[in-house]
Amino acid sequence: MNIPIEYYLILSGFMFLVGVAGVLTRRNAIIVFMSIELMLNSANLSLVTFSSYMGNSTGQLFVFFVMTVAAAEAAVGLAIILAMFRNKLTLNIDDINILKW
Amino acid sequence: MLNNFQEFYNIIPILLIGAGFLISLLIEMYFKKSDVILPWFTILIFLAAGFHALYAVNSVSVIFQNMLATGGIVNIFYIIFTFGAAIVALLSIDYIKKYGTYFGEYYILLQTSILGMMLMAGAKDLFMIFLGLELMSVSFYSLAGLNRKRLKANEASLKYFLLGAFATGFIVYGIALIYGTVHSTSIDMIASRFYELSSDKLFIAGILLFLIGFSFKIAAFPFHMWVPDVYEGSPTTIAGLFSTGGKAAAFSAIIVTLGVLFTGRIGNILMPYLAVISVLSMFYGSIVAISQDNIKRMLAYSSISHAGYLLIGLAAGNSFGVAGVIFYLASYTFMNLGAFGIVALIEGKDESNLTLKSFSGLASRYPLLAALFSIIMFSLAGIPPFAGFFGKYYVFIAAIKSNLTWLAILGVLSSVISVYFYLRIVVLMYFKDAETDLKIDVSKTGLAAVIISVLLVIIIGIAPGTIIDLIAFFFK
């Protein structure tokens, strides 16, 4: 039984929108960061889908690059979040507001 | 086909910086005097890479299984990045001691970020765009928050990281949709199939997501919220790099990926998007900059409005416009580095002396600094004999050639508004008495960096024709 490509694309689009909504509405820096990872993973899902339906392996290769880079980004990002928490003892991005015009 | 030796010869700038940062790691580890050696080594690497790019500007080729392009426009971008970064490194020698503790990582991250920019400018495949972008951005996130004890720096790097990673999400999703419709990640394939796919909704959605992601990186209006905060919180020299190298790299990625739109062979279907965000950024940047009291925030809003002028050149969508954008980027890089350089010289311990008040009466005590800063402000405002004027001129002429006269008129109006806040500083420096008791030890290397950038601004302003002809010759 073959699942049509649209199903995967709709799922991936939905995941992407959940990620965007999470970034825009959540106030905790870690949860915002998790939502960003969700966006990257939704892109990975569509890359794999296209790759498998076209019989072209470039997309799957790209997913490996995205995962590796996302891991590097997570390392730097969590370090930044940790440095912030040490100084301020909060991760609520509404409280992180000394820079304002 | 080129042989292997020729391929490696053409990417010597990239190899030099790649080897340079590995050697810098060793210098940092094994030499006690690394804080003296490392800055000069970094500058040497950047200059060597820049001069090689200048020397080999004619060796146009596509190498490594269609992954990288060399020569021509790519080398012109290399020259902008490496010379800009050399000026930043020269400025930093005394600045980072004043700013806080000395960190060897500073120069290493500077080199990796420039490597990322160069991969973006030379990309022939979306793989390279993505890897270069991430190499640049991850280095930038850590550079912004390098002094981890300082709350402002933490906040700047957190904001930069969250919004930068958000933008990356858009870019990756855009790349996924482009790959799904074009069936390849090669930029040549995208260019050759652009016309037949321009009615495919999925493809257009992919291109738009890609552009939205890069609109964050170039700091255009609806995606600009991070810019003032990040520039204010990060070290001044690094803020200079964000506003020049980062912006130039993002523009280079847009130009190489969507280059087919700007050569006039097919219509510029993205014109409405580019024109709208260009007008919004120009006016928003110029108007909000007027109300700023902190000089770094003022320069941040001026950077937003400059992103707007640059987008006019892309909206025009002819090869003349793109040549104008590259010329504008070159002149903007050196004048903005000069501006941030002067701010870095005047800045005291713990981020003091950053308000506009500190600049009043500067001419009576530090006449050289005041004169240099006035030249830079005239150039940023676009007043004729300097480089900034010709950048705007070429971009506006390109818009008129594409029947976008209204866009050029709005651009001129916005630069008239921006003259107010640039010249206000000149007036403060020359016609007001000092309001604060400003005492600074002007660092020699920092002053040299500022003088070099001002000289480059004047040289580009004297001979704009030769430079624009060179760029236009390569952009066919």
Side-chain angles (χ1 to χ4, degrees), chain B residues 13 300 335:
Chain B
M335 59 201 185

Side-chain angles (χ1 to χ4, degrees), chain B residues 350-367:
Chain B
D350 293 322
E351 293 165 33
S352 50
N353 303 342
L354 281 179
T355 50
L356 291 185
K357 257 191 287 179
S358 329
F359 284 83
S360 55
L362 193 73
S364 57
R365 275 173 300 172
Y366 300 99

Side-chain angles (χ1 to χ4, degrees), chain B residues 245-387:
Chain B
K247 198 188 288 270
F251 268 103
S252 76
I254 296 176
I255 290 171
V256 297
T257 317
L258 305 175
V260 63
L261 284 179
F262 308 130
T263 48
R265 255 168 278 157
I266 60 174
N268 187 358
I269 50 167
L270 295 171
M271 195 281 285
Y273 173 83
L274 293 169
V276 167
I277 65 169
S278 144
V279 171
L280 290 175
S281 334
M282 285 185 307
F283 280 94
Y284 179 81
S286 315
I287 291 170
V288 181
I290 293 175
S291 67
Q292 298 304 314
D293 187 43
N294 181 308
I295 180 92
K296 273 162 91 177
R297 290 187 86 82
M298 195 206 89
L299 285 172
Y301 284 102
S302 114
S303 149
I304 294 171
S305 75
H306 280 283
Y309 303 127
L310 285 157
L311 281 167
I312 291 181
L314 294 188
N318 48 33
S319 55
F320 201 70
V322 176
V325 168
I326 296 170
F327 179 87
Y328 198 132
L329 282 171
S331 51
Y332 175 73
T333 297
F334 296 116
M335 59 201 185
N336 222 31
L337 280 178
F340 274 99
I342 301 244
V343 176
L345 285 177
I346 289 179
E347 182 179 337
K349 268 210 161 31
D350 293 322
E351 293 165 33
S352 50
N353 303 342
L354 281 179
T355 50
L356 291 185
K357 257 191 287 179
S358 329
F359 284 83
S360 55
L362 193 73
S364 57
R365 275 173 300 172
Y366 300 99
L368 180 60
L369 282 186
L372 291 171
F373 206 39
S374 315
I375 292 179
I376 290 164
M377 286 295 133
F378 284 134
S379 180
L380 280 169
I383 288 170
F386 305 112

Side-chain angles (χ1 to χ4, degrees), chain B residues 46 53 56 62 195 270 298 321 324 336 349 379 393 425 440 454 457:
Chain B
F46 284 145
V62 177
Y195 184 70
L270 295 171
M298 195 206 89
N336 222 31
K349 268 210 161 31
S379 180
Y393 170 78
I425 295 185
I440 45 173
V454 170
V457 167

Side-chain angles (χ1 to χ4, degrees), chain A residues 12 56 59 69 73 87 98, chain B residues 134 148 154-155 173 179 183:
Chain A
S12 124
N56 171 337
V69 166
E73 211 174 45
N87 279 336
I98 43 171
Chain B
E134 285 304 289
R148 54 186 178 277
N154 287 154
E155 185 176 329
Y173 204 80
Y179 166 70
H183 297 203

Side-chain angles (χ1 to χ4, degrees), chain A residues 9 12-13 16 20 23-24 29 32-33 36 39-40 42-43 46-47 50-51 54 56 58-59 61-62 65-66 69 73 76-77 80-81 83-84 87-88 93 96-101, chain B residues 126-127 130-131 134 138 141-142 148-152 154-159 161-162 165-166 168-170 172-173 175-177 179-180 183 185 202 229 232-233 288 291-292 297 301:
Chain A
L9 292 184
S12 124
F16 185 76
V20 173
V23 173
L24 296 178
V32 170
F33 182 46
I36 290 168
M39 287 165 71
L40 289 179
S42 74
S46 34
L47 278 168
F50 284 128
S51 171
M54 294 181 319
N56 171 337
T58 320
L61 209 59
F62 206 101
F65 280 81
V66 174
V69 166
E73 211 174 45
V76 171
I80 290 170
I81 291 175
M84 185 76 222
N87 279 336
K88 186 103 181 179
I93 42 181
I96 302 173
N97 56 3
I98 43 171
L99 298 169
K100 271 230 172 102
W101 65 291
Chain B
L126 293 177
F127 272 93
F130 176 65
L131 286 179
E134 285 304 289
V138 172
Y141 306 149
S142 2
R148 54 186 178 277
K149 302 241 165 67
R150 200 171 273 212
L151 197 55
K152 268 189 176 178
N154 287 154
E155 185 176 329
S157 79
L158 182 65
K159 283 185 174 164
F161 166 70
L162 288 178
F166 188 50
T168 305
F170 281 97
V172 176
Y173 204 80
I175 290 178
L177 293 185
Y179 166 70
H183 297 203
T185 53
L202 215 52
D229 293 353
E232 189 190 343
V288 181
S291 67
Q292 298 304 314
R297 290 187 86 82
Y301 284 102

Side-chain angles (χ1 to χ4, degrees), chain B residues 64-86:
Chain B
F64 296 135
Q65 282 82 38
N66 267 332
M67 278 286 170
L68 269 181
T70 64
I73 293 294
V74 178
N75 275 28
I76 291 171
F77 273 116
Y78 286 0
I79 295 166
I80 297 176
F81 299 150
T82 48
F83 286 177

Side-chain angles (χ1 to χ4, degrees), chain A residues 5 12 20 28 38 42 51 82-83 95:
Chain A
I5 185 167
S12 124
V20 173
N28 183 304
L38 197 61
S42 74
S51 171
L82 201 63
D95 295 339

